[in-house]
Amino acid sequence: MDSKISVLLLVRPAEGGIRKHVQTLLRGLNSDRYDIAVACPPGSPLFEECHSLGWRVFPVDLAGDVSLLQDFRSVLEVRRALKSVRPEILHMHGMKAALVGRTAVSIGRRPKTLITCHSFVLDERSGPVKRKCAALLELFLQPVTDKMICVSEALKTHMVHDLRVPAHKIAVIPNGIRFNELLKPKRD
């Protein structure tokens, strides 16, 4: 067999859906084919889980809102992880991770980039200035975006119409639910 495909997962602070999604990826990807590393906020439950399970984990302090100074630091942290891992694929989870990750790969050697978009970037509370800024950022980062996965058709429509992501770059892969886990009796 040829050498393993190196993948760096970049994950924003996450509980619930994104965290479960990443845990499923880590359990499900064939370790004979893929060499996986994770970059996520230090001290987060995902960071601690990955570390305790023996995955290579890199601290990237992704703040929730846009913060120029903190985001610049995060870009540098991602660059360090990229230099160490030298991944063929950078798989980003959440739009904050996508903003920081694509900025980090816009200079120098660039792996293939994949974004899984788990939720809407803008909603009815987003004003026209925020909408315009988000669309401009996305337009600026499109040259370093190879593929985007949206977890619903509605999310794809949002990305195409509101953020002007080219439809051909988006695949829809709905989130799955393990019904057998939902049907298990809860233990106190």
Side-chain angles (χ1 to χ4, degrees), residues 149-172:
I149 297 169
C150 289
V151 298
S152 70
E153 287 291 341
L155 192 50
K156 178 181 179 179
T157 299
H158 166 66
M159 298 306 291
V160 170
H161 293 292
D162 295 336
L163 295 179
R164 307 287 186 236
V165 176
H168 73 274
K169 286 191 173 188
I170 302 174
V172 175

PDB file of all heavy atoms in Angstrom, residues 149-172:
ATOM      1  N   ILE A 149     -18.492  21.153   2.349  1.00  0.00           N
ATOM      2  CA  ILE A 149     -19.588  20.233   2.643  1.00  0.00           C
ATOM      3  C   ILE A 149     -20.594  20.999   3.486  1.00  0.00           C
ATOM      4  O   ILE A 149     -20.223  21.631   4.481  1.00  0.00           O
ATOM      5  CB  ILE A 149     -19.098  19.004   3.439  1.00  0.00           C
ATOM      6  CG1 ILE A 149     -18.104  18.188   2.617  1.00  0.00           C
ATOM      7  CG2 ILE A 149     -20.281  18.133   3.890  1.00  0.00           C
ATOM      8  CD1 ILE A 149     -17.388  17.112   3.413  1.00  0.00           C
ATOM      9  N   CYS A 150     -21.846  20.981   3.090  1.00  0.00           N
ATOM     10  CA  CYS A 150     -22.926  21.552   3.892  1.00  0.00           C
ATOM     11  C   CYS A 150     -23.773  20.400   4.408  1.00  0.00           C
ATOM     12  O   CYS A 150     -23.987  19.417   3.699  1.00  0.00           O
ATOM     13  CB  CYS A 150     -23.782  22.515   3.075  1.00  0.00           C
ATOM     14  SG  CYS A 150     -22.946  24.059   2.669  1.00  0.00           S
ATOM     15  N   VAL A 151     -24.260  20.534   5.637  1.00  0.00           N
ATOM     16  CA  VAL A 151     -25.009  19.438   6.243  1.00  0.00           C
ATOM     17  C   VAL A 151     -26.497  19.462   5.882  1.00  0.00           C
ATOM     18  O   VAL A 151     -27.244  18.605   6.337  1.00  0.00           O
ATOM     19  CB  VAL A 151     -24.820  19.401   7.777  1.00  0.00           C
ATOM     20  CG1 VAL A 151     -23.355  19.174   8.126  1.00  0.00           C
ATOM     21  CG2 VAL A 151     -25.361  20.659   8.436  1.00  0.00           C
ATOM     22  N   SER A 152     -26.911  20.426   5.042  1.00  0.00           N
ATOM     23  CA  SER A 152     -28.301  20.453   4.576  1.00  0.00           C
ATOM     24  C   SER A 152     -28.387  21.258   3.279  1.00  0.00           C
ATOM     25  O   SER A 152     -27.512  22.076   2.978  1.00  0.00           O
ATOM     26  CB  SER A 152     -29.216  21.089   5.625  1.00  0.00           C
ATOM     27  OG  SER A 152     -28.960  22.487   5.720  1.00  0.00           O
ATOM     28  N   GLU A 153     -29.441  21.013   2.526  1.00  0.00           N
ATOM     29  CA  GLU A 153     -29.701  21.789   1.303  1.00  0.00           C
ATOM     30  C   GLU A 153     -29.934  23.257   1.643  1.00  0.00           C
ATOM     31  O   GLU A 153     -29.506  24.152   0.910  1.00  0.00           O
ATOM     32  CB  GLU A 153     -30.911  21.218   0.546  1.00  0.00           C
ATOM     33  CG  GLU A 153     -30.653  19.917  -0.157  1.00  0.00           C
ATOM     34  CD  GLU A 153     -29.707  20.033  -1.348  1.00  0.00           C
ATOM     35  OE1 GLU A 153     -29.503  21.146  -1.889  1.00  0.00           O
ATOM     36  OE2 GLU A 153     -29.161  18.986  -1.741  1.00  0.00           O
ATOM     37  N   ALA A 154     -30.623  23.523   2.766  1.00  0.00           N
ATOM     38  CA  ALA A 154     -30.882  24.912   3.179  1.00  0.00           C
ATOM     39  C   ALA A 154     -29.567  25.643   3.436  1.00  0.00           C
ATOM     40  O   ALA A 154     -29.419  26.823   3.084  1.00  0.00           O
ATOM     41  CB  ALA A 154     -31.767  24.942   4.418  1.00  0.00           C
ATOM     42  N   LEU A 155     -28.622  24.963   4.039  1.00  0.00           N
ATOM     43  CA  LEU A 155     -27.321  25.565   4.311  1.00  0.00           C
ATOM     44  C   LEU A 155     -26.572  25.832   3.003  1.00  0.00           C
ATOM     45  O   LEU A 155     -25.935  26.881   2.841  1.00  0.00           O
ATOM     46  CB  LEU A 155     -26.519  24.659   5.238  1.00  0.00           C
ATOM     47  CG  LEU A 155     -25.267  25.224   5.865  1.00  0.00           C
ATOM     48  CD1 LEU A 155     -25.509  26.573   6.531  1.00  0.00           C
ATOM     49  CD2 LEU A 155     -24.728  24.239   6.890  1.00  0.00           C
ATOM     50  N   LYS A 156     -26.666  24.923   2.051  1.00  0.00           N
ATOM     51  CA  LYS A 156     -26.054  25.153   0.739  1.00  0.00           C
ATOM     52  C   LYS A 156     -26.663  26.379   0.075  1.00  0.00           C
ATOM     53  O   LYS A 156     -25.942  27.237  -0.450  1.00  0.00           O
ATOM     54  CB  LYS A 156     -26.225  23.930  -0.164  1.00  0.00           C
ATOM     55  CG  LYS A 156     -25.645  24.151  -1.556  1.00  0.00           C
ATOM     56  CD  LYS A 156     -25.837  22.952  -2.462  1.00  0.00           C
ATOM     57  CE  LYS A 156     -25.265  23.262  -3.845  1.00  0.00           C
ATOM     58  NZ  LYS A 156     -25.413  22.124  -4.763  1.00  0.00           N
ATOM     59  N   THR A 157     -27.967  26.488   0.123  1.00  0.00           N
ATOM     60  CA  THR A 157     -28.645  27.648  -0.463  1.00  0.00           C
ATOM     61  C   THR A 157     -28.151  28.936   0.192  1.00  0.00           C
ATOM     62  O   THR A 157     -27.875  29.930  -0.488  1.00  0.00           O
ATOM     63  CB  THR A 157     -30.175  27.508  -0.303  1.00  0.00           C
ATOM     64  OG1 THR A 157     -30.588  26.329  -1.001  1.00  0.00           O
ATOM     65  CG2 THR A 157     -30.905  28.713  -0.859  1.00  0.00           C
ATOM     66  N   HIS A 158     -28.018  28.927   1.502  1.00  0.00           N
ATOM     67  CA  HIS A 158     -27.495  30.085   2.237  1.00  0.00           C
ATOM     68  C   HIS A 158     -26.089  30.440   1.761  1.00  0.00           C
ATOM     69  O   HIS A 158     -25.776  31.607   1.498  1.00  0.00           O
ATOM     70  CB  HIS A 158     -27.495  29.768   3.738  1.00  0.00           C
ATOM     71  CG  HIS A 158     -26.698  30.704   4.589  1.00  0.00           C
ATOM     72  ND1 HIS A 158     -27.036  32.029   4.758  1.00  0.00           N
ATOM     73  CD2 HIS A 158     -25.570  30.509   5.312  1.00  0.00           C
ATOM     74  CE1 HIS A 158     -26.146  32.607   5.564  1.00  0.00           C
ATOM     75  NE2 HIS A 158     -25.251  31.699   5.908  1.00  0.00           N
ATOM     76  N   MET A 159     -25.218  29.446   1.642  1.00  0.00           N
ATOM     77  CA  MET A 159     -23.838  29.706   1.237  1.00  0.00           C
ATOM     78  C   MET A 159     -23.766  30.255  -0.187  1.00  0.00           C
ATOM     79  O   MET A 159     -22.984  31.163  -0.476  1.00  0.00           O
ATOM     80  CB  MET A 159     -22.996  28.437   1.372  1.00  0.00           C
ATOM     81  CG  MET A 159     -22.883  27.889   2.790  1.00  0.00           C
ATOM     82  SD  MET A 159     -22.298  29.075   4.017  1.00  0.00           S
ATOM     83  CE  MET A 159     -20.614  29.283   3.501  1.00  0.00           C
ATOM     84  N   VAL A 160     -24.609  29.738  -1.080  1.00  0.00           N
ATOM     85  CA  VAL A 160     -24.610  30.185  -2.474  1.00  0.00           C
ATOM     86  C   VAL A 160     -25.208  31.585  -2.595  1.00  0.00           C
ATOM     87  O   VAL A 160     -24.613  32.471  -3.218  1.00  0.00           O
ATOM     88  CB  VAL A 160     -25.367  29.177  -3.366  1.00  0.00           C
ATOM     89  CG1 VAL A 160     -25.599  29.743  -4.768  1.00  0.00           C
ATOM     90  CG2 VAL A 160     -24.616  27.854  -3.440  1.00  0.00           C
ATOM     91  N   HIS A 161     -26.367  31.799  -1.988  1.00  0.00           N
ATOM     92  CA  HIS A 161     -27.067  33.077  -2.176  1.00  0.00           C
ATOM     93  C   HIS A 161     -26.537  34.202  -1.303  1.00  0.00           C
ATOM     94  O   HIS A 161     -26.389  35.331  -1.778  1.00  0.00           O
ATOM     95  CB  HIS A 161     -28.569  32.892  -1.960  1.00  0.00           C
ATOM     96  CG  HIS A 161     -29.197  32.046  -3.016  1.00  0.00           C
ATOM     97  ND1 HIS A 161     -29.320  32.459  -4.328  1.00  0.00           N
ATOM     98  CD2 HIS A 161     -29.698  30.796  -2.973  1.00  0.00           C
ATOM     99  CE1 HIS A 161     -29.873  31.507  -5.046  1.00  0.00           C
ATOM    100  NE2 HIS A 161     -30.110  30.477  -4.246  1.00  0.00           N
ATOM    101  N   ASP A 162     -26.241  33.920  -0.044  1.00  0.00           N
ATOM    102  CA  ASP A 162     -25.817  34.986   0.866  1.00  0.00           C
ATOM    103  C   ASP A 162     -24.318  35.241   0.837  1.00  0.00           C
ATOM    104  O   ASP A 162     -23.879  36.375   1.005  1.00  0.00           O
ATOM    105  CB  ASP A 162     -26.244  34.671   2.305  1.00  0.00           C
ATOM    106  CG  ASP A 162     -27.758  34.654   2.463  1.00  0.00           C
ATOM    107  OD1 ASP A 162     -28.452  35.302   1.651  1.00  0.00           O
ATOM    108  OD2 ASP A 162     -28.236  33.990   3.393  1.00  0.00           O
ATOM    109  N   LEU A 163     -23.518  34.196   0.652  1.00  0.00           N
ATOM    110  CA  LEU A 163     -22.065  34.360   0.693  1.00  0.00           C
ATOM    111  C   LEU A 163     -21.400  34.165  -0.667  1.00  0.00           C
ATOM    112  O   LEU A 163     -20.184  34.238  -0.788  1.00  0.00           O
ATOM    113  CB  LEU A 163     -21.449  33.420   1.728  1.00  0.00           C
ATOM    114  CG  LEU A 163     -21.860  33.727   3.169  1.00  0.00           C
ATOM    115  CD1 LEU A 163     -21.227  32.737   4.128  1.00  0.00           C
ATOM    116  CD2 LEU A 163     -21.472  35.140   3.556  1.00  0.00           C
ATOM    117  N   ARG A 164     -22.194  33.879  -1.679  1.00  0.00           N
ATOM    118  CA  ARG A 164     -21.710  33.771  -3.053  1.00  0.00           C
ATOM    119  C   ARG A 164     -20.660  32.682  -3.263  1.00  0.00           C
ATOM    120  O   ARG A 164     -19.753  32.821  -4.070  1.00  0.00           O
ATOM    121  CB  ARG A 164     -21.161  35.114  -3.551  1.00  0.00           C
ATOM    122  CG  ARG A 164     -22.098  36.280  -3.396  1.00  0.00           C
ATOM    123  CD  ARG A 164     -23.222  36.178  -4.402  1.00  0.00           C
ATOM    124  NE  ARG A 164     -24.055  37.365  -4.355  1.00  0.00           N
ATOM    125  CZ  ARG A 164     -25.373  37.337  -4.149  1.00  0.00           C
ATOM    126  NH1 ARG A 164     -25.972  36.176  -3.981  1.00  0.00           N
ATOM    127  NH2 ARG A 164     -26.079  38.430  -4.124  1.00  0.00           N
ATOM    128  N   VAL A 165     -20.786  31.597  -2.512  1.00  0.00           N
ATOM    129  CA  VAL A 165     -19.900  30.449  -2.731  1.00  0.00           C
ATOM    130  C   VAL A 165     -20.380  29.758  -4.009  1.00  0.00           C
ATOM    131  O   VAL A 165     -21.577  29.502  -4.165  1.00  0.00           O
ATOM    132  CB  VAL A 165     -19.960  29.462  -1.540  1.00  0.00           C
ATOM    133  CG1 VAL A 165     -19.119  28.227  -1.825  1.00  0.00           C
ATOM    134  CG2 VAL A 165     -19.511  30.150  -0.261  1.00  0.00           C
ATOM    135  N   PRO A 166     -19.490  29.484  -4.949  1.00  0.00           N
ATOM    136  CA  PRO A 166     -19.915  28.805  -6.174  1.00  0.00           C
ATOM    137  C   PRO A 166     -20.547  27.438  -5.863  1.00  0.00           C
ATOM    138  O   PRO A 166     -19.963  26.633  -5.126  1.00  0.00           O
ATOM    139  CB  PRO A 166     -18.612  28.631  -6.965  1.00  0.00           C
ATOM    140  CG  PRO A 166     -17.682  29.670  -6.406  1.00  0.00           C
ATOM    141  CD  PRO A 166     -18.063  29.810  -4.959  1.00  0.00           C
ATOM    142  N   ALA A 167     -21.718  27.200  -6.410  1.00  0.00           N
ATOM    143  CA  ALA A 167     -22.471  25.976  -6.122  1.00  0.00           C
ATOM    144  C   ALA A 167     -21.668  24.714  -6.450  1.00  0.00           C
ATOM    145  O   ALA A 167     -21.791  23.701  -5.759  1.00  0.00           O
ATOM    146  CB  ALA A 167     -23.795  25.983  -6.876  1.00  0.00           C
ATOM    147  N   HIS A 168     -20.829  24.765  -7.487  1.00  0.00           N
ATOM    148  CA  HIS A 168     -20.063  23.574  -7.880  1.00  0.00           C
ATOM    149  C   HIS A 168     -19.012  23.175  -6.833  1.00  0.00           C
ATOM    150  O   HIS A 168     -18.525  22.051  -6.852  1.00  0.00           O
ATOM    151  CB  HIS A 168     -19.411  23.763  -9.254  1.00  0.00           C
ATOM    152  CG  HIS A 168     -18.244  24.702  -9.253  1.00  0.00           C
ATOM    153  ND1 HIS A 168     -18.398  26.069  -9.400  1.00  0.00           N
ATOM    154  CD2 HIS A 168     -16.922  24.475  -9.109  1.00  0.00           C
ATOM    155  CE1 HIS A 168     -17.202  26.644  -9.348  1.00  0.00           C
ATOM    156  NE2 HIS A 168     -16.292  25.703  -9.171  1.00  0.00           N
ATOM    157  N   LYS A 169     -18.695  24.071  -5.901  1.00  0.00           N
ATOM    158  CA  LYS A 169     -17.726  23.743  -4.852  1.00  0.00           C
ATOM    159  C   LYS A 169     -18.388  23.095  -3.633  1.00  0.00           C
ATOM    160  O   LYS A 169     -17.705  22.703  -2.704  1.00  0.00           O
ATOM    161  CB  LYS A 169     -16.976  25.000  -4.397  1.00  0.00           C
ATOM    162  CG  LYS A 169     -15.955  25.492  -5.392  1.00  0.00           C
ATOM    163  CD  LYS A 169     -15.084  26.561  -4.779  1.00  0.00           C
ATOM    164  CE  LYS A 169     -13.953  26.938  -5.710  1.00  0.00           C
ATOM    165  NZ  LYS A 169     -12.991  27.839  -5.065  1.00  0.00           N
ATOM    166  N   ILE A 170     -19.727  23.012  -3.638  1.00  0.00           N
ATOM    167  CA  ILE A 170     -20.445  22.545  -2.450  1.00  0.00           C
ATOM    168  C   ILE A 170     -21.069  21.174  -2.681  1.00  0.00           C
ATOM    169  O   ILE A 170     -21.747  20.947  -3.679  1.00  0.00           O
ATOM    170  CB  ILE A 170     -21.555  23.538  -2.051  1.00  0.00           C
ATOM    171  CG1 ILE A 170     -20.967  24.931  -1.792  1.00  0.00           C
ATOM    172  CG2 ILE A 170     -22.314  23.039  -0.816  1.00  0.00           C
ATOM    173  CD1 ILE A 170     -22.009  26.005  -1.533  1.00  0.00           C
ATOM    174  N   ALA A 171     -20.846  20.288  -1.725  1.00  0.00           N
ATOM    175  CA  ALA A 171     -21.537  18.994  -1.686  1.00  0.00           C
ATOM    176  C   ALA A 171     -22.411  18.991  -0.437  1.00  0.00           C
ATOM    177  O   ALA A 171     -22.026  19.556   0.592  1.00  0.00           O
ATOM    178  CB  ALA A 171     -20.529  17.854  -1.620  1.00  0.00           C
ATOM    179  N   VAL A 172     -23.574  18.386  -0.532  1.00  0.00           N
ATOM    180  CA  VAL A 172     -24.451  18.271   0.627  1.00  0.00           C
ATOM    181  C   VAL A 172     -24.370  16.848   1.154  1.00  0.00           C
ATOM    182  O   VAL A 172     -24.609  15.884   0.423  1.00  0.00           O
ATOM    183  CB  VAL A 172     -25.917  18.625   0.272  1.00  0.00           C
ATOM    184  CG1 VAL A 172     -26.842  18.375   1.449  1.00  0.00           C
ATOM    185  CG2 VAL A 172     -26.016  20.075  -0.191  1.00  0.00           C
TER     186      VAL A 172
END
